[in-house]
Amino acid sequence: MRPRLVWLALCGLLLLSRESYAQGRVLTGTVRDSATSGPVAGATVTIEGTRLGAYTKDNGTFLITNVPEGELVLLVRFIGYKRRTVRIGADETQVDVSVVRDFLKLEEIVVTGQATGVEKQNLPNAVATVSSDELVRAPAQTLESALQGKVPGAYIQQNGGAPGGGIQVNLRGISTINAGADPLFVVDGIVVSNAAIANGQNAVTAAAAGGNASNQDNPVNRIADLNPADIDRIEILKGGSAAAIYGSKATNGVVIITTKRGQVGKPQFNITQRFGFSSIAKKLGQRVFNDTTEAFSVYDSNLVRQYFVPGKRVDWEELLYGQKGLSSETEASVTGGTEQTKYFISGLVNHDEGIAVGSGYKKQGLRVNLDQVLSDRVNLSVSTNVIHTNSDRALSNNDNSGTSPGLVLPFTPSFFDPRPKNGVYPVNPFERSNPLQTLSLIKNNEDVWRALGTVTARVSLLQRETQRLNVTAIGGADYFSQRNDFLSPPQLQYEPNDGQPGTVVLGKASNLSTNIALNAAHNYTPVSKALDATTSFGVQYEDRELNATGIVGRTLVAGQSSPTQAASRDVSQGINKVRDFGFFGQEELLVMDRRLLLTVGARFDRSSSNGNPDKFFAYPKAATSYRIGRPIGGVDELKVRLAYGETGNQPIFGAKFTPDTSLTTDGRVGTLVSQRLGDPDIRPERQKEIETGFDAQLAGGRGQLSFTVYQRRITDLLLEQTLAPSTGYATRIFNSGGVLRNRGVEIGLQLVPVQSSALYWVFGTTFSLNRSKITSLPIPPFQTGGFGTSLGVFQIEKGKSATQIIGLVNGQQQAIGDAYPDFQMGFSNDVEWKRFRLGMQWDWKQGGDVINLTRLLFDAGQNSADVADGGAARVGKWAAGNTKVYLEDGSYLKMRELSLSYDLPQKVVGAMFGGGARYARLTLSGRNLIRIAGYSGYDPEVSNFGNQAIVRNIDVAPYPPSRSFFFSVDVGF
């Protein structure tokens, strides 16, 4: 019995010791906003030197038990606020802490590698960050449109106004001529696709005929699928040093997107309901004929006598683009959890009505993000997102068959009424189609299902006072299935013209990208805190496959929409499969009281896109920054920085091969060698960039000025050379000898003019300019894109801008303009006054010429609204060999966003939604409400050829842009 008594005694002692420990010191307190005195929920409160801590509740309170005796140091941290340390006396058990908003984001951790980051105050690169609040100031259909005007050095331009997207992001100028022009998009650690797949309308429009094979279908780029409301923050790596860690895919920059995660606490529900509408932003107008004599001068006299009615005028643009249907959006999310398990779940149902007849956009999405602490050393994070989008794009842009409404209107008089009578659309005798009939009956639908998933495991292999070693494993996949249904029914007026009435196009594409990465980071900080050294390394593998199939059927029976019901069918298929492998190493050293940062690193990549798929290409980087305290009066701190880095741009798929083409002759199948000769030695384009600048903190932390200058030199440009007929080939692909240079300036200023308990005002402005130049070209100057010299064409020429436009002046060919802006500026204001919030974003682009062929069409048809005051003279000058008549300045000043919200008093919230409601907010918002521009077309933001590196700013019968208005109700429970 004696051992049992000993055992019971020991257990009793243990219980007594646990009881006495549990009854130890308890620390309580409240964390409040220093400006508003309101509670800060979700803040992390920890005791330095221990693992003790807690999160603040909705009312800002916290409680920490088992607090050691004696004096302590309390550390309070929360995103958007400066960290705060508070000394706690030996006898203190209650403390109130006020925290200051970090509107400069100086303590924000910014990515410097695939496993590391540094505080923004030490960052050696000009990396732009955009918060979730900035993204959702006003509703935006797509992520890219929500970024417009907010990032210095980013030229974000929509291709047209069709619902569902179609926007190009360009960072720090032109980086290529023929390779990919889009940035690399990384979502929660995995590379995702931004492919833009043609919808097949060219089968009807024949826009690519006449020797111009470029895509003119106004496709959607797939990054538009993401829901901006799910995003916590975006980091944009513009420079080579910042982006070098992504190697051969980073010349166009890297956009790192981090989605929202769960917060510790009881479940918090947030629901947003929006209603609104969109309307055409601008009308071009059309000529009004006063009498038959005037109409006789343009149209056949018999047709004029038949259709002309004195005083009658049809507003064609109102008929075609005057829709103002109700748009709606419902968003809901829930977040919560414990210190071991956190979750964020969100859902979206969106329906936007287009302004064009028969157009619109729908999106549904579900996101589930989970974070699980498996042990003291292992954390697991899961991110999943399922998205469904369905867009009806109508018909727009160029055509060569009299189908696109924007090309038919210039030659159709305003006295012709296209509206149906007894359900039958009248034939348009002035042109090959009735545009109202076309938009009403044509089908141009794109249906996309997309799934993204990421699993991230973080393992702490070493946790000591001076050293830490963490390993991160990431695995993820991005899959989408896209279906395009384009139907041109046989009853449409233009359909019988080709002898095959009725056209159907069925396009199916699928893309699967898989990512695997293993990264490790070792941090060493001696007890003296004299330095902070972080060593990181890792490997990444990516496999992506795009499989696109298209079926074109012609001669359809009325009422049929399947290619199997067509009399003739053409089938095409393209499979792009690429495998990439890379590894990197990086060293970051923070010394001199954390004021001097030194960084060196390198990435090594190989890819199946290269001529030699086994060869590794190296991309080194180096950067430094140094912070100087109070160098002059009025400046709190000055950080000077210098960075150098190299990145690559992979060759276009298949450039190393000379493709074969199958054909059928007399019933026999054969193979024809392509006229384009591939290059077995093809390699990535290479960018070498150096940037320098400074960041100054002003006025006691209430202002920041950033200044950056850079030079980018892109070598090994991918080029296409015309060959002599004797070679047996028409052209060849190669990349040796071509050099493109960009030089630019970026400036950012942020201020808090007023900060008090009643009023809080944040003002920001950005400025950027870029100048490109072809410094070496191993082949003669060549023209790319456009519709020929007489209409304006882009020309690549040594010693000239990469975006110069060539045309005719008095019949002589010469440079007449440049498509790239002279400079860009953005202006933002966010004001909080009591319960009101006002947000505003302006976007100013100065310069950047646009080839306005829509105006030429109206002038040529003698149908311009100002035909008597200038239209006739313009087309006459053009016919005499003066292209510049239709080259216009693309400058604009736009109010991108406007939002005014009001937080209902808590008593009203409780009465309306019950005691469980945390807040309720009413918001009026709008997008693109004001546009100030001298441009005569619909909008200087336009690209007939979609996303292109060079060939942009060509206006040919686009889908008109719109302005949108919304009323929103936000409720939190």
Side-chain angles (χ1 to χ4, degrees):
M1 295 292 292
R2 191 171 298 174
R4 185 176 180 183
L5 290 174
V6 173
W7 173 250
L8 290 172
L10 289 173
C11 290
L13 288 173
L14 287 173
L15 289 172
L16 286 172
S17 65
R18 287 187 61 186
E19 184 178 354
S20 62
Y21 184 71
Q23 291 177 350
R25 185 177 174 189
V26 176
L27 181 66
T28 62
T30 305
V31 178
R32 298 184 180 276
D33 186 300
S34 63
T36 64
S37 298
V40 176
T44 304
V45 184
T46 58
I47 297 175
E48 284 193 346
T50 74
R51 293 188 178 183
L52 299 175
Y55 291 91
T56 56
K57 299 179 180 180
D58 292 347
N59 58 3
T61 62
F62 66 89
L63 182 148
I64 305 175
T65 60
N66 305 326
V67 177
E69 299 298 330
E71 293 188 352
L72 304 169
V73 175
L74 200 66
L75 176 61
V76 180
R77 291 180 295 178
F78 188 62
I79 296 174
Y81 288 83
K82 296 180 180 180
R83 72 179 66 182
R84 177 80 189 277
T85 57
V86 180
R87 291 198 170 275
I88 307 298
D91 300 325
E92 287 188 82
T93 58
Q94 200 279 333
V95 61
D96 290 330
V97 182
S98 63
V99 288
V100 180
R101 296 190 194 187
D102 183 22
F103 88 97
L104 299 178
K105 305 176 185 177
L106 296 175
E107 297 180 2
E108 183 178 61
I109 302 298
V110 179
V111 169
T112 56
Q114 296 196 21
T116 59
V118 301
E119 290 185 348
K120 189 176 179 181
Q121 62 184 356
N122 289 314
L123 192 67
N125 313 101
V127 174
T129 60
V130 181
S131 67
S132 58
D133 290 340
E134 294 172 286
L135 281 175
V136 297
R137 185 186 286 123
Q141 277 190 359
T142 67
L143 169 64
E144 315 98 292
S145 60
L147 289 173
Q148 286 182 303
K150 298 173 183 175
V151 180
Y155 183 24
I156 304 174
Q157 182 186 26
Q158 65 183 30
N159 301 327
I167 294 179
Q168 178 159 306
V169 179
N170 180 265
L171 301 175
R172 288 190 173 176
I174 303 300
S175 300
T176 185
I177 297 173
N178 293 310
D182 293 330
L184 184 71
F185 288 90
V186 180
V187 178
D188 289 334
I190 66 168
V191 177
V192 299
S193 174
N194 189 36
I197 301 171
N199 56 41
Q201 72 179 44
N202 184 73
V204 168
T205 64
N212 198 329
S214 297
N215 182 279
Q216 301 174 62
D217 286 7
N218 193 20
V220 175
N221 51 306
R222 292 270 60 93
I223 205 66
D225 298 334
L226 300 181
N227 178 14
D230 283 346
I231 296 173
D232 180 60
R233 53 179 276 152
I234 296 177
E235 299 169 41
I236 301 177
L237 312 183
K238 298 172 288 185
S241 175
I245 209 69
Y246 287 92
S248 64
K249 298 190 286 286
T251 286
N252 300 312
V254 182
V255 179
I256 300 175
I257 300 170
T258 303
T259 60
K260 294 178 179 177
R261 315 300 302 183
Q263 300 294 327
V264 172
K266 62 183 180 181
Q268 292 190 351
F269 295 86
N270 300 280
I271 301 174
T272 298
Q273 180 62 60
R274 294 190 181 98
F275 295 101
F277 69 93
S278 298
S279 63
I280 186 171
K282 178 187 177 182
K283 292 182 180 179
L284 300 182
Q286 200 171 357
R287 182 177 182 177
V288 176
F289 293 89
N290 299 308
D291 52 45
T292 55
T293 302
E294 189 178 346
F296 287 158
S297 65
V298 181
Y299 303 106
D300 180 86
S301 58
N302 291 326
L303 293 178
V304 173
R305 292 189 185 96
Q306 182 178 354
Y307 291 99
F308 182 82
V309 176
K312 179 180 180 180
R313 177 184 177 273
V314 175
D315 188 340
W316 276 88
E317 289 173 296
E318 185 64 26
L319 285 178
L320 300 179
Y321 309 118
Q323 310 302 300
K324 298 183 180 67
L326 180 67
S327 296
S328 63
E329 183 174 82
T330 304
E331 294 176 352
S333 67
V334 57
T335 180
T338 65
E339 294 186 16
Q340 284 71 41
T341 305
K342 294 181 290 184
Y343 55 86
F344 172 82
I345 304 172
S346 71
L348 168 72
V349 177
N350 171 272
H351 180 199
D352 283 324
E353 288 287 347
I355 61 171
V357 172
S359 66
Y361 177 67
K362 298 177 182 178
K363 179 190 290 186
Q364 303 90 42
L366 175 66
R367 172 173 290 279
V368 179
N369 289 353
L370 300 174
D371 295 282
Q372 178 67 48
V373 176
L374 300 179
S375 70
D376 289 344
R377 295 180 179 273
V378 182
N379 295 279
L380 189 68
S381 297
V382 178
S383 301
T384 61
N385 193 197
V386 177
I387 311 157
H388 176 229
T389 64
N390 190 290
S391 57
D392 292 298
R393 305 280 287 174
L395 185 63
S396 59
N397 283 18
N398 181 43
D399 83 63
N400 286 299
S401 58
T403 53
S404 181
L407 271 84
V408 175
L409 283 186
F411 303 95
T412 302
S414 59
F415 55 76
F416 173 72
D417 193 338
R419 287 170 287 195
K421 296 179 180 178
N422 299 320
V424 178
Y425 289 90
V427 170
N428 179 6
F430 301 93
E431 254 294 334
R432 288 181 284 181
S433 67
N434 179 335
L436 184 59
Q437 181 198 39
T438 300
L439 290 186
S440 299
L441 302 184
I442 205 166
K443 179 182 180 182
N444 184 4
N445 179 262
E446 182 170 286
D447 193 279
V448 177
W449 282 94
R450 187 169 193 172
L452 298 97
T454 308
V455 178
T456 303
R458 299 177 178 88
V459 182
S460 177
L461 297 181
L462 181 65
Q463 289 182 349
R464 294 182 180 175
E465 183 181 0
T466 60
Q467 296 188 69
R468 295 182 301 276
L469 176 60
N470 298 313
V471 175
T472 303
I474 302 175
D478 171 22
Y479 173 80
F480 71 77
S481 174
Q482 176 175 323
R483 173 175 174 142
N484 289 95
D485 288 289
F486 189 92
L487 174 64
S488 178
Q491 62 266 39
L492 287 176
Q493 179 184 331
Y494 61 78
E495 265 299 334
N497 293 341
D498 62 1
Q500 301 183 81
T503 305
V504 59
V505 182
L506 174 61
K508 289 190 175 182
S510 64
N511 182 89
L512 175 62
S513 299
T514 55
N515 294 244
I516 300 174
L518 182 65
N519 305 312
H522 175 266
N523 178 263
Y524 171 69
T525 306
V527 177
S528 65
K529 309 293 184 182
L531 63 86
D532 190 319
T534 302
T535 304
S536 61
F537 55 90
V539 295
Q540 289 84 37
Y541 171 83
E542 182 187 357
D543 188 306
R544 56 188 185 274
E545 180 176 332
L546 174 62
N547 189 334
T549 303
I551 303 174
V552 179
R554 301 185 189 277
T555 308
L556 281 172
V557 177
Q560 297 297 323
S561 60
S562 172
T564 59
Q565 303 299 319
S568 64
R569 293 180 292 273
D570 293 316
V571 181
S572 63
Q573 183 180 23
I575 301 177
N576 297 354
K577 187 175 180 63
V578 179
R579 289 181 176 175
D580 298 332
F581 176 78
F583 61 93
F584 74 92
Q586 179 174 280
E587 181 69 31
E588 293 175 316
L589 193 63
L590 197 56
V591 295
M592 299 180 65
D593 195 25
R594 303 183 66 86
R595 291 186 175 274
L596 175 64
L597 176 69
L598 301 170
T599 301
V600 293
R603 166 89 180 217
F604 300 85
D605 274 351
R606 72 183 185 192
S607 173
S608 62
S609 293
N610 301 330
N612 183 351
D614 298 320
K615 181 178 180 179
F616 281 95
F617 292 86
Y619 303 96
K621 61 173 288 187
T624 183
S625 68
Y626 182 70
R627 295 188 291 126
I628 307 170
R630 297 193 177 279
I632 57 175
V635 178
D636 306 324
E637 185 174 86
L638 178 69
K639 179 183 69 177
V640 292
R641 44 187 168 79
L642 176 66
Y644 172 83
E646 299 183 17
T647 55
N649 195 5
Q650 292 184 348
I652 57 176
F653 179 82
K656 63 181 180 180
F657 299 117
T658 301
D660 295 332
T661 302
S662 298
L663 73 162
T664 303
T665 303
D666 295 331
R668 284 181 268 183
V669 178
T671 300
L672 178 69
V673 178
S674 171
Q675 293 294 294
R676 194 193 74 181
L677 178 64
D679 184 359
D681 297 321
I682 206 78
R683 57 189 176 276
E685 297 179 338
R686 177 175 291 272
Q687 173 193 252
K688 299 179 180 180
E689 180 177 38
I690 185 169
E691 73 169 52
T692 185
F694 66 83
D695 302 309
Q697 298 177 40
L698 313 170
R702 293 174 64 175
Q704 177 174 275
L705 174 65
S706 298
F707 178 84
T708 303
V709 294
Y710 62 85
Q711 175 173 291
R712 316 171 77 204
R713 189 171 182 268
I714 300 98
T715 60
D716 294 333
L717 289 174
L718 187 69
L719 300 171
E720 187 168 2
Q721 181 183 18
T722 301
L723 299 176
S726 59
T727 64
Y729 297 95
T731 62
R732 77 175 180 111
I733 295 290
F734 72 105
N735 65 335
S736 62
V739 180
L740 168 62
R741 187 190 71 199
N742 283 275
R743 289 175 175 169
V745 176
E746 297 169 357
I747 303 174
L749 175 65
Q750 291 179 295
L751 297 172
V752 181
V754 180
Q755 184 177 11
S756 67
S757 59
L759 180 62
Y760 186 73
W761 174 22
V762 179
F763 168 79
T765 183
T766 62
F767 172 90
S768 61
L769 63 82
N770 183 87
R771 299 291 183 267
S772 68
K773 186 177 183 179
I774 304 292
T775 59
S776 178
L777 193 65
I779 58 178
F782 62 93
Q783 296 176 351
T784 177
F787 297 97
T789 308
S790 65
L791 297 175
V793 67
F794 291 80
Q795 179 163 300
I796 305 302
E797 182 180 356
K798 182 180 178 181
K800 300 299 178 68
S801 165
T803 50
Q804 71 163 338
I805 301 173
I806 300 295
L808 299 179
V809 177
N810 296 324
Q812 301 298 312
Q813 179 176 303
Q814 65 181 54
I816 59 173
D818 196 292
Y820 212 79
D822 297 333
F823 66 82
Q824 290 179 273
M825 292 192 73
F827 307 91
S828 64
N829 280 281
D830 290 280
V831 181
E832 298 180 19
W833 178 65
K834 296 183 179 180
R835 297 184 179 275
F836 291 92
R837 299 180 184 179
L838 174 67
M840 188 183 303
Q841 179 73 47
W842 290 85
D843 185 12
W844 176 17
K845 178 178 81 79
Q846 181 61 41
D849 295 313
V850 181
I851 301 172
N852 191 348
L853 301 185
T854 302
R855 193 179 204 190
L856 169 60
L857 291 168
F858 272 94
D859 286 348
Q862 302 181 58
N863 212 1
S864 305
D866 67 341
V867 63
D869 300 324
R874 285 192 300 268
V875 75
K877 291 179 181 178
W878 172 78
N882 290 284
T883 306
K884 203 168 184 177
V885 175
Y886 293 104
L887 189 76
E888 296 189 44
D889 181 5
S891 302
Y892 61 73
L893 175 63
K894 293 186 178 183
M895 179 188 281
R896 293 290 187 187
E897 301 170 352
L898 179 65
S899 175
L900 177 63
S901 62
Y902 175 71
D903 289 330
L904 296 176
Q906 196 59 43
K907 290 183 179 180
V908 177
V909 174
M912 294 179 63
F913 302 102
R918 294 179 290 114
Y919 71 90
R921 182 178 303 124
L922 307 178
T923 304
L924 292 173
S925 58
R927 181 168 291 276
N928 295 322
L929 299 183
I930 299 176
R931 188 197 73 167
I932 302 172
Y935 185 67
S936 66
Y938 283 120
D939 198 297
E941 275 191 88
V942 65
S943 176
N944 177 72
F945 294 96
N947 288 10
Q948 299 281 330
I950 302 291
V951 187
R952 298 188 59 77
N953 291 27
I954 299 180
D955 185 334
V956 188
Y959 186 114
S962 60
R963 56 171 61 96
S964 58
F965 307 82
F966 282 92
F967 171 71
S968 307
V969 179
D970 299 85
V971 183
F973 295 94

